[in-house]
Amino acid sequence: MQTDAIEALRQQYTDRYVVADTSRAELARFEGMVGQIKTINFSGRALVQFDSDADRGWYDIGLDCLKIVDKPGD
């Protein structure tokens, strides 16, 4: 992707709250978890941190596998 397109995705998605499409086997471990997009990488994929005390890592997930949701607690 071109730099301008990546920057536009970052503006649109950074800090948004999401849930993963857990019908996909590779994302099933995120069932019932809300994540926050920290940034968009240069491949156009979201780096998502899920709300879990056991794991604070960032996960590289395609935007087509994520659904925007309201901030937890709102």
Side-chain angles (χ1 to χ4, degrees), residues 46-64:
L47 295 178
V48 181
Q49 183 177 39
F50 286 92
D51 186 19
S52 168
D53 292 332
D55 182 2
R56 299 302 290 172
W58 291 11
Y59 292 90
D60 179 344
I61 302 173
L63 292 170
D64 59 329

Side-chain angles (χ1 to χ4, degrees), residues 3-58:
T3 305
D4 293 340
I6 296 297
E7 188 55 37
L9 289 172
R10 284 183 179 150
Q11 299 261 336
Q12 182 178 358
Y13 289 103
T14 298
D15 295 328
R16 302 289 301 268
Y17 290 89
V18 295
V19 293
D21 177 2
T22 56
S23 68
R24 300 175 65 116
E26 68 272 21
L27 300 175
R29 65 183 162 183
F30 302 119
E31 178 75 39
M33 299 171 73
V34 175
Q36 184 177 27
I37 297 176
K38 296 301 184 176
T39 192
I40 303 296
N41 65 21
F42 279 100
S43 297
R45 294 170 60 91
L47 295 178
V48 181
Q49 183 177 39
F50 286 92
D51 186 19
S52 168
D53 292 332
D55 182 2
R56 299 302 290 172
W58 291 11

